[in-house]
Amino acid sequence: MQRLVKIIAVIAILKISFFTPGVVFAQVYDKIFSLREAIDMALTNNSLINEAIEKQRAAIQEKKVANREFLPKASASYSYTKLKDNPYAVFGLSKIVVGPEDNYHWNVSLMQPLFTGFALLTKQKIANLGLEIKGLEKKQALLDVIKETKVAYFNILLTKKFLMVANEAVSQLDSHREDAEKFYKQGMIPYNDLLKTEVALANALQNRVKAESNVEMAVSSLNTIIGVDINKKSDIVDALNIEPSEHDLGNLFDKAKKNRPELKMLYLALKNSDNVIRLAKSAYYPQIALVARYEQSGDNPEATNNDYANVHNTSITLQAKWTFFEWGKKRAEVKKYYYNKLSMIEKVKGVEDSIMLEVKNAFLNIKVAKKNIQTAKESLVQAKENYRITNLQYQQQMTTSTEVLDARTFLTQAETNYYSALYGYMVSMAELDRAIGKRGFES
């Protein structure tokens, strides 16, 4: 009995909070977004896209580095050497000094590579392909963010519909509780029937609080994606006039193969593997360069005074270097990159299969969602009518309170199923767009 008294006390408190006449709970929003506006903000602010942009900029600089490798390189050096004794040369029995104790030397050189075993050309190709890959990574980030934005957007709409259902349930159960209380005072129903309505109303109030929390969390999730304060009170425009469309699975497969940036990146990486092998093979060839050099030597810091040799000199050198034996190291490196290429071929096959499976899964989810929308819509109409009739019968004492509560439960479930199917279809469409590499803004 004490437990029942506590339940009734809690319900009384909740009634004061939620049903006091004249009390209006108004929500003030900082910003109201359409789906297009939300996507535009995400594309501007999302950290995943900004990260891809910075990587693309780094690849541009890498390409510049590869291009500059073809140009001559300038260098300079300066040295000072202190000898204990003056160097000398012996002629017969005489020692003739041939240099000073203090030796200053500086030079400026220009080196132009002439042949590197195609290494420089290969590095340039690798850098060009690397820039293309970073561009595709950016496109992949764009597609991911668009999908995440759509899913978060539709999740807000879904949680708001669930909150609407919860509010409706609270309102109807409160009305039913008033009927039950009136019948109980008139001695037409037992006390436990009134308690059933009180408990059902308390559960509905708790569900509403949970639904409100879910809406706030869904909004915070969208805020995170579009790059605004997580605690900002944002609202969105509902996606109206949702019309399921038809899709051809074969056509979807073709679009995915053509558009998916992941596949394009792998194809470029596979092409790049040939360049990596060619770069490793460049070590088989000699390295040839042309070196131009100007130098000065003397016994003062400026190297402008030399009593033993000419102060300055200029030279042009054709320089060749060839490492022709390293105990099979070069061959092992070439084989390593060759096997990496074979593994990349297998990876491409696996990713192609994975993408086709992803497309088919999204396609089937859409088919299921389309069927569920119609089924759930019909069920919702029936559940509403069932609740209306049952409630009227109860008001005329032609049925029990249990039947009314069951009818309300059926209606809540039917509404939940309908909105889940409706926005589940929109989420499946967003997933299908991502699966075929479609960058679309349509709701």
Side-chain angles (χ1 to χ4, degrees):
M1 187 66 181
Q2 292 180 348
R3 185 177 181 184
L4 293 176
V5 172
K6 290 181 180 179
I7 293 175
I8 295 174
V10 171
I11 294 172
I13 294 173
L14 292 172
K15 285 168 60 180
I16 294 174
S17 302
F18 290 96
F19 300 110
T20 302
V23 177
V24 179
F25 296 93
Q27 176 68 66
V28 178
Y29 296 107
D30 297 325
K31 176 69 176 176
I32 300 178
F33 298 102
S34 66
L35 179 56
R36 179 60 185 264
E37 289 173 333
I39 290 175
D40 288 342
M41 288 193 65
L43 296 182
T44 301
N45 301 328
N46 193 272
S47 58
L48 186 64
I49 294 177
N50 292 332
E51 177 187 352
I53 290 173
E54 297 305 324
K55 288 183 177 179
Q56 189 178 35
R57 289 173 177 170
I60 292 174
Q61 299 306 313
E62 183 66 25
K63 180 180 178 180
K64 290 181 179 179
V65 170
N67 291 336
R68 300 302 189 272
E69 290 289 339
F70 289 93
L71 303 177
K73 298 176 179 62
S75 62
S77 68
Y78 184 92
S79 66
Y80 166 68
T81 304
K82 175 66 175 179
L83 301 177
K84 181 180 179 181
D85 300 308
N86 290 90
Y88 62 86
V90 177
F91 293 94
L93 298 176
S94 302
K95 293 181 179 180
I96 301 176
V97 177
V98 294
E101 294 180 3
D102 297 306
N103 294 270
Y104 297 88
H105 179 86
W106 64 266
N107 67 75
V108 177
S109 300
L110 282 177
M111 186 182 73
Q112 173 64 57
L114 299 179
F115 181 72
T116 60
F118 310 105
L120 297 183
L121 184 61
T122 304
K123 288 180 180 179
Q124 186 184 51
K125 291 179 179 179
I126 291 174
N128 290 338
L129 289 176
L131 180 57
E132 288 188 55
I133 290 174
K134 294 305 177 183
L136 290 171
E137 285 183 0
K138 178 183 174 183
K139 182 179 180 181
Q140 181 181 353
L142 292 173
L143 293 174
D144 287 337
V145 169
I146 290 173
K147 174 198 165 184
E148 289 177 6
T149 305
K150 286 183 177 180
V151 172
Y153 192 96
F154 296 133
N155 189 43
I156 292 177
L157 294 177
L158 180 60
T159 55
K160 287 179 67 176
K161 293 298 184 183
F162 286 168
L163 177 58
M164 182 189 72
V165 172
N167 284 328
E168 180 184 281
V170 168
S171 177
Q172 291 180 346
L173 288 174
D174 181 62
S175 177
H176 175 63
R177 182 201 57 78
E178 291 177 354
D179 291 338
E181 188 175 32
K182 179 181 66 176
F183 291 146
Y184 171 70
K185 289 179 179 179
Q186 295 173 356
M188 300 175 64
I189 62 172
Y191 183 53
N192 66 318
D193 274 8
L194 175 60
L195 290 179
K196 288 178 182 178
T197 62
E198 298 280 12
V199 172
L201 177 58
N203 289 336
L205 289 170
Q206 292 177 8
N207 290 336
R208 183 168 72 175
V209 172
K210 184 177 180 181
E212 290 172 343
S213 176
N214 289 340
V215 171
E216 184 176 351
M217 193 63 205
V219 171
S220 296
S221 178
L222 179 63
N223 286 346
T224 301
I225 295 172
I226 65 178
V228 301
D229 186 352
I230 191 174
N231 295 316
K232 192 171 186 179
K233 295 179 180 179
S234 305
D235 195 21
I236 59 175
V237 179
D238 201 347
L240 303 176
N241 300 322
I242 299 174
E243 294 293 337
S245 54
E246 298 295 330
H247 299 92
D248 177 70
L249 186 57
N251 187 39
L252 294 175
F253 283 155
D254 292 338
K255 288 182 178 180
K257 291 178 180 178
K258 178 182 178 181
N259 298 328
R260 282 292 289 262
E262 297 92 329
L263 275 179
K264 292 182 179 179
M265 283 190 290
L266 284 175
Y267 295 150
L268 288 177
L270 186 58
K271 184 177 180 181
N272 224 9
S273 63
D274 290 327
N275 291 326
V276 173
I277 293 173
R278 189 176 297 112
L279 182 61
K281 288 181 176 180
S282 67
Y284 290 148
Y285 300 93
Q287 310 292 308
I288 303 174
L290 187 66
V291 181
R293 180 186 182 99
Y294 174 82
E295 59 185 347
Q296 285 191 192
S297 299
D299 56 10
N300 61 330
E302 295 81 14
T304 57
N305 182 61
N306 194 327
D307 296 330
Y308 304 94
N310 52 325
V311 173
H312 56 82
N313 208 339
T314 303
S315 63
I316 296 179
T317 305
L318 185 62
Q319 177 180 294
K321 181 181 178 181
W322 186 22
T323 304
F324 56 85
F325 183 71
E326 289 184 298
W327 302 96
K329 175 185 173 183
K330 299 185 183 70
R331 184 182 303 170
E333 286 184 347
V334 171
K335 286 185 177 181
K336 178 185 73 172
Y337 294 122
Y338 174 74
Y339 292 130
N340 284 342
K341 177 184 176 181
L342 295 181
S343 70
M344 182 65 67
I345 293 174
E346 296 303 320
K347 183 177 182 179
V348 169
K349 294 178 182 177
V351 171
E352 285 177 343
D353 292 339
S354 177
I355 287 176
M356 295 306 104
L357 185 62
E358 184 181 343
V359 172
K360 186 170 184 178
N361 184 57
F363 172 78
L364 293 177
N365 286 342
I366 287 176
K367 287 184 64 176
V368 171
K370 284 168 62 176
K371 292 180 180 178
N372 286 344
I373 289 174
Q374 185 59 35
T375 303
K377 187 175 182 179
E378 294 173 359
S379 176
L380 179 58
V381 173
Q382 296 168 352
K384 286 182 177 179
E385 182 65 12
N386 177 57
Y387 179 80
R388 186 187 68 82
I389 293 173
T390 304
N391 192 47
L392 286 175
Q393 290 176 339
Y394 180 76
Q395 292 174 352
Q396 298 173 9
Q397 280 298 285
M398 297 175 60
T399 189
T400 65
S401 179
T402 300
E403 293 295 328
V404 177
L405 297 179
D406 287 344
R408 180 58 244 186
T409 300
F410 295 148
L411 178 55
T412 298
Q413 187 61 55
E415 290 175 324
T416 300
N417 290 343
Y418 174 69
Y419 293 122
S420 295
L422 196 62
Y423 293 107
Y425 173 82
M426 300 308 297
V427 169
S428 295
M429 280 296 300
E431 291 174 345
L432 180 62
D433 285 345
R434 176 63 185 88
I436 63 175
K438 178 182 178 182
R439 178 182 172 179
F441 303 98
E442 314 83 30
S443 60

